[in-house]
Structures are given as C-alpha cells and as structure tokens.
Amino acid sequence: MADTLKKLKKSLSLKLSFQAGTNCPRPSGSNCPRPSCSDRSHSSGSSSRGLSRSLSFQTSKSSKKTCPICLGSLRRGQGVAIFTAECSHSFHFCCIAANVQHGNRICPICRCEWKDVPFQAPGSVIDARRNNMARARVSPFNAAPEDASAPGARRNVPTTFQLPAEPEQFTDDEQLSVNSIGPAPPSRAQALAVKAFPEFGAVAAAECPPKFAVLLRVCAPSLPNDADRAPIDLVTVLDVSGSMSSKLPLLKRAVHFIIQNLGSADRLSIVIFSSVARRIFPLQRMTDSGRENAIRAINTLSSNGGTNIVEGLKKGARVLEERRERSPVASIILLSDGQDTHNVLRNSYTQDEASSIPSNELAYLNLLPSSICLSKREAGQPTFPVHTFGFGLEHDSEAMHAIADASGGTFSFIETLSILQDAFARCIGGLLSVVSQDVKLTIRSKSAGVRIGSIPSGRYNSEVLDEGQQAVIDIGNLYADEEKEFIVYLSIPVSSAEGEQRPECTALLDVFCTHKDSASMEIHQVEGEKVEIRRPEVLSTADKKVNLQVDRQRSRLLVAETIADAQRMAEVGDLESAQALLAERRSGLLSSAAAQAGDVLCNWLEAELREIRERMASMDLYERTGRAYLLSGLSSHSWQRATTRGDTTQILATNGDRGHSGSIDSTRSYETPWMTTMVTRSQTLNFTSGEQQSQANK
C-alpha cells in the first residue's frame, strides 16, 4: 500500500509540475490570466501538502477557485470565460478548449470522459463576437449519430462547422425556390366543405326555445400529394441551458428528423438560447446542401448557462419579421425543459384573485413581440403561431401554455424523453399540410325572429353582430383533412301562423365560408348546407331524439369547461373539490345520449377525465405531471388540434376515425392523416435504429 501511495504521489506531482509550467496550452490572443511567479512558487512549495489533501479526497476552497491547467484564478467577474464540465470541475475556457483541440475528452482531474466539450472558434470568429461573451457554447465533437435510414440522409455528414457571426438584421434569408414564386398551381379539385346539424329535426309550432343548438362543421380538403402543399418558413427555438446536458442527444436526433422531412422549398432557421439567445443557422432552404449545413449546426450544440425564454422568442420572431421574402406558411417551434431564470414569470395573486384570473395570464407575456401575441397585434400585422414543447418534469408548463395560447399555437407536454421526436413529427405533420388560410365562417339569420345568441368557440375569435342577425368565426389556417366544429346557440320564435298559412319548416341560418388556397393563393367562397327545421303542431317520438353529432360536441365543450374549472381549484390547493367536479362531469358524460350510443369521442373524454383525476391524487403529483398534462389538454381542446400529452392511456378517438372503433393513444385526439403518417415515420425510424443498435451490440 505504501509503494502504491508513493507511485501515485509521484505521478500527480509530475502532472502538476507540467500544468504549472510556462508551456500551458494557450490559444493565441487569449485573455486567460497566467499565475504570477509567486503563485507558481507557492504551488510548487506546497505540492506535498496539497497532494496529501487530494489523496484524502478533501477539496480545498483554494482549489475550487484555481484553474487546474494554468493555476490562474477562477473568480467570476474578471472578463474570462469559465467552463464547468459535467463532472463539476471548472477550468478557464481558453485553457480547456486548447486541450480539447488535440482530441482530449478526458477530465484532467478525475479522468471522467466528457460527452459535452468546449470548442474554441478561430480567432477571426472570436473577434467578431467580442460583445457576446455569454453565448451558449458549441462543440463539433458531440454530434449525435445521424439516422442513415432517414429520407435524404447523408452517411458521412461532416461534424466540424464554423458558426457564422450574427448580422445586425436577419435579412440574409435564402431566396425562395422558383416554384414558390412562379405561376400559381391550379386550385385543388376537392374544396373545403361546410356542414350543419340542428339539435333536433323539429320544434313544435307553439314552442320558442331560447337556446337551440346548431352544430357547424368545417372540413378541410385532403392533400394527396406532397408537391401540392404550400412551403413553410420554420424557426426552431431550442433551450441549450445547463439542465439540457443529458437531453441534447435526443434533441439533436429529433431536430435531425425535422430537417430530413422538410422539402427543398421549405426554409429552416435555428435559434438557441441559454442565458442569452443566438441564431446559429439562417433561414435557408432545405436542399441537400441546406440539410447538411443545418445538421452540422445542430451537431455543434452543447449546454450551459441559465434559461432565457423571452430572449429566445424575440430572436426567433425577428428571423420571421426581418426576412426579405416570405413563404405562405410561417411558424415557430419552442422547446424548453426549465423555468425562465431571467424574467419575472407571473404576478402574485391572492387565493381570491387566482379564482378570477386565467392561470396563463403571465406578467412576462408583455415582454414578447406583438408578432407572436394575437392580443397585441396591429391591423394588418402578420402573426406567427408558436408551438411550445415542455420537456421533462421541471419545465414551466404555465409559461409554455401561455406562450402557445397567446400566439395561436399549441402546447405539448413531453413527459418522457423518448417521445420527443414523435411529438415534433406530429407537429410538423400539421405544419407541412396547411391547405387553407384566412378561413372565416359567416353565419346569418334566415328568418324573422331567429336570433344568434352565443358561440362557444374556444380560442377562435367569434363575434355576434347586428343584434344577433349575424356572426363571424375566424378560424385561420386549416391542415389537410382537419375538421373544426362550433355550436351556435339560437333563439327560435313561435310559429304563429295557423292553418294553411303556417309554413311546414322554419329556415334558421345561412352559412358560408371564405378561405385562401395556400398553394394557389386564390380566394374562395363556399356555401354551406341550408339549416332548417320542421314546425309540426305535435312532435313525434323521432322528432324528440337529439342529434348525436350535436350532443357529443356539447359534451366536449362541457368537459373542457370542467377541466379549466378544476385546474383553477388545483392551483389554490383545493384538490378535493377539483376531483369531485371532475367525477361529477364524468357521470354526466356517461349518461349523455352520445355516450349511451357508444360514441368514440365520449369514450375518449371519459378516459381524459379519469386520467386528470389520477394526476391530482396529491399536490406533489399534480405539480410534477398533472398541471402540464391538464394544460396540454386544454390547449388541444381550445384549438381543436392535436397535442402530445406524454401519457400512455389507451383511448378510442381520433379526428379521422369518428364513428369507428379502435384503441389508440390519447395523444392522437384531433390527429390528421398527415400527422399520423409523420408519427409513423418517426416510430419506424426509431424502431429501425433500435434494431441496428441491437445488432451492433451482439
């Protein structure tokens, strides 16, 4: 044992002597402070005592403040970058970067092999970034392996990549493809359709129901061919803070999937943020060379610093605001796994105030640009939906939900790391299939005395005009095969005429829809079905049967309202009342006509209520997963659009399979065929990669 101790002391003594010498690797132009002669003398003279303390595994306070390579001070605030490795040992960035440039990925202290390593850019690049000392670090060594089976994948994509300096204005977007700016393609053969379903087929002539329901359904056309779709400008805003260290490989893999599935006419830009934000890839078309450059940029990412969501979103919005040319569709994808550590997140409310203030009314939304806040936009100003992804159990679900809600995007809860790529796939499956834009539904009273009362339209803006004579619902963009359903509540007058003068039917509404074809940019107007009811003196048994389409949509609205009320109760700690409310709504749902008839949407709603109750079993469970799961569900219901909710509950519903039974995952509610195809592609890729990895390990 004594001989072993002597050999170890000798080895460490030689190593410290080398590190304390004047030949410490230092890049030219480095500002890394050298230790003074007295510092080196003191270090040499006390090496024996220092070694004894090291061998007893006791780290002194002085060693924590000293760079182990150059022995200079590690105190912050001296204008010198500090690198803290995943093993918790710290070094001057310039010292350890020079070490890494020679291919050394081993910690000089504990000999741990690093996954994320620093990268020292060339001097010219450093000089161009002098004013951005706190930017997130990047590395060419920690590239995630690319999936060779992905469409268009390159087997030998270089991993070294020099990140360009940021311009003052983001007007360096690549020119749109000729096909995007050339003559418009012909309109789609299949047009958008509008259908109507009255609550009952007849109302007695002597009755005047004050709240008669009519269901309006808007159905988007299919998109059978990828070549017929509109190109997109997509900006990914990615969290690379210190907490993302272990998640970066999966994040890179998921973004690789996005890159490989964008078309040559689509354009992508990449923004990263930690304590500060940076655009690391300009808005470029995803041609073969564009994909390679985007993959190189993603492969350079490493994690460090805090979380500044607001700065990341500001920079992402600027990319779209300042571009010279514009694709027909534009959107932002935001991913974060933590709390915003640089901005005030929310106002402090008392328990009484919290019950009347929406949970997503966060103070820092006022810091976001108007281009991603629908309530702040000016007339004629374009807005960009932000689809947010809360990653893991520590993210701020209220903030992510509020950002998505304010911008017209959706919030997805990524509970387990393995579903991130599928979540991205579901999102871009929708974004890559936008067929109709500026969709607006106009409703007009058809008969005297028929008045439009209200339209519970979720987050879609609706307005009742002319004392109930007319109403408008702004729907915006529609994905291929996507459906939106709205219940319009009417007051119907008595049919006062008698005998032969009394009409057999009462016309209720005229409905028509205007929209822009996203590929041809042509404006279309589509007339809906006539909405009328019979007015017999006496109702038959068949007349008294409620329309199941209307009944299940009303059930969906009631469930969404109940979930929102339960969430407000849970936020003030009243889980018992929240669970009781959910249980009561579940009982009412199961007794509804649609549920009794075996409607698949009602089966899904019942499973959702049950899952939320389970996630409210305790305050700890609610704060860890319940809140995020619930808010993601509210986002899905509010926009009638699919979100990923990070659970494995098997349910019986999908937007494309209404009326058809089949057990599917709850994340597929409102899912369109394009979303399903993209998720299947992602899962097939994951399965293939897993098989290849298993074969390699044998």
Side-chain angles (χ1 to χ4, degrees), residues 366-385:
N366 293 325
L367 302 175
L368 298 179
S370 57
S371 61
I372 56 175
C373 281
L374 297 176
S375 61
K376 295 168 61 176
R377 68 174 174 177
E378 300 176 358
Q381 180 188 20
T383 56
F384 314 115

Side-chain angles (χ1 to χ4, degrees), residues 456 485 551-561 589 601 604-605 636-638 640 670:
E485 294 185 337
D551 188 65
R552 71 174 182 182
Q553 183 61 207
R554 183 158 45 199
S555 293
R556 187 191 69 83
L557 292 172
L558 290 172
V559 166
E561 181 181 338
L589 171 67
L601 177 62
W604 164 52
L605 293 171
S636 184
H637 285 304
S638 296
Q640 298 185 53
Y670 305 114

Side-chain angles (χ1 to χ4, degrees), residues 136 238-242 244 248 251 272-274 301-306:
L238 308 174
D239 185 347
V240 292
S241 60
M244 284 291 295
L248 276 183
L251 173 60
I272 60 174
F273 67 92
S274 53
L301 298 184
S302 65
S303 58
N304 183 44

Side-chain angles (χ1 to χ4, degrees), residues 27 93 97 101 118-127 129 138 162-163:
F93 187 88
Q101 280 179 349
F119 170 58
Q120 180 67 56
S124 59
V125 179
I126 294 174
D127 292 339
R129 305 176 194 160
V138 295
Q162 179 175 311
L163 295 175

Side-chain angles (χ1 to χ4, degrees), residues 124-354:
S124 59
V125 179
I126 294 174
D127 292 339
R129 305 176 194 160
R130 289 291 184 190
N131 295 326
N132 299 294
M133 296 294 291
R135 297 203 184 279
R137 296 195 305 275
V138 295
S139 165
F141 297 98
N142 60 346
E146 185 185 11
D147 295 306
S149 60
R154 300 274 187 233
R155 291 186 180 273
N156 296 306
V157 177
T159 56
T160 56
F161 183 69
Q162 179 175 311
L163 295 175
E166 271 191 356
E168 291 186 4
Q169 282 195 315
F170 298 140
T171 55
D172 54 349
D173 54 300
E174 185 175 2
Q175 184 177 3
L176 297 176
S177 66
V178 176
N179 292 336
S180 300
I181 58 179
S187 299
R188 307 177 203 283
Q190 183 183 0
L192 184 147
V194 180
K195 300 179 181 180
F197 305 89
E199 182 178 8
F200 297 99
V203 172
E207 294 180 359
C208 53
K211 201 173 181 180
F212 185 86
V214 175
L215 173 68
L216 301 180
R217 178 183 296 164
V218 181
C219 310
S222 298
L223 184 63
N225 198 317
D226 182 71
D228 295 336
R229 69 174 179 83
I232 184 175
D233 287 344
L234 179 65
V235 180
T236 59
V237 180
L238 308 174
D239 185 347
V240 292
S241 60
S243 59
M244 284 291 295
S245 176
S246 62
K247 305 164 190 170
L248 276 183
L250 284 172
L251 173 60
K252 292 176 184 179
R253 180 185 177 90
V255 180
H256 284 182
F257 180 85
I258 293 177
I259 293 169
Q260 298 292 1
N261 283 280
L262 294 177
S264 59
D266 300 315
R267 300 191 298 177
L268 175 71
S269 179
I270 302 168
V271 172
I272 60 174
F273 67 92
S274 53
S275 297
V276 294
R278 182 181 177 198
R279 190 202 69 174
I280 65 169
F281 188 73
L283 197 60
Q284 284 191 11
R285 289 170 50 206
M286 290 296 98
T287 57
D288 288 345
S289 61
R291 288 194 186 100
E292 289 183 2
N293 290 333
I295 289 174
R296 288 191 189 102
I298 285 296
N299 285 347
T300 64
L301 298 184
S302 65
S303 58
N304 183 44
T307 305
N308 196 333
I309 295 174
V310 169
E311 285 304 308
L313 282 174
K314 283 182 177 179
K315 191 144 293 187
R318 279 186 55 205
V319 172
L320 295 178
E321 291 168 355
E322 298 173 7
R323 58 192 164 148
R324 295 169 301 172
E325 299 185 12
R326 298 172 184 266
S327 293
V329 182
S331 189
I332 297 173
I333 287 178
L334 167 68
L335 178 135
S336 178
D337 75 333
Q339 310 273 334
D340 192 319
T341 58
H342 287 71
N343 299 279
V344 177
L345 294 185
R346 54 184 60 79
N347 294 317
S348 297
Y349 301 124
T350 65
Q351 181 167 333
D352 292 337
E353 291 172 331

Side-chain angles (χ1 to χ4, degrees), residues 362-438:
L362 307 184
Y364 79 93
L365 285 183
N366 293 325
L367 302 175
L368 298 179
S370 57
S371 61
I372 56 175
C373 281
L374 297 176
S375 61
K376 295 168 61 176
R377 68 174 174 177
E378 300 176 358
Q381 180 188 20
T383 56
F384 314 115
V386 181
H387 298 278
T388 62
F389 295 80
F391 199 11
L393 305 182
E394 302 297 329
H395 75 278
D396 190 334
S397 56
E398 287 182 292
M400 300 295 275
H401 175 262
I403 292 167
D405 202 52
S407 66
T410 55
F411 164 58
S412 290
F413 169 37
I414 315 302
E415 184 173 5
T416 57
L417 307 184
S418 59
I419 66 169
L420 175 60
Q421 182 173 296
D422 292 349
F424 278 0
R426 181 171 289 107
C427 181
I428 66 170
L431 296 176
L432 296 181
S433 64
V434 174
V435 291
S436 300
Q437 295 180 290
D438 302 330

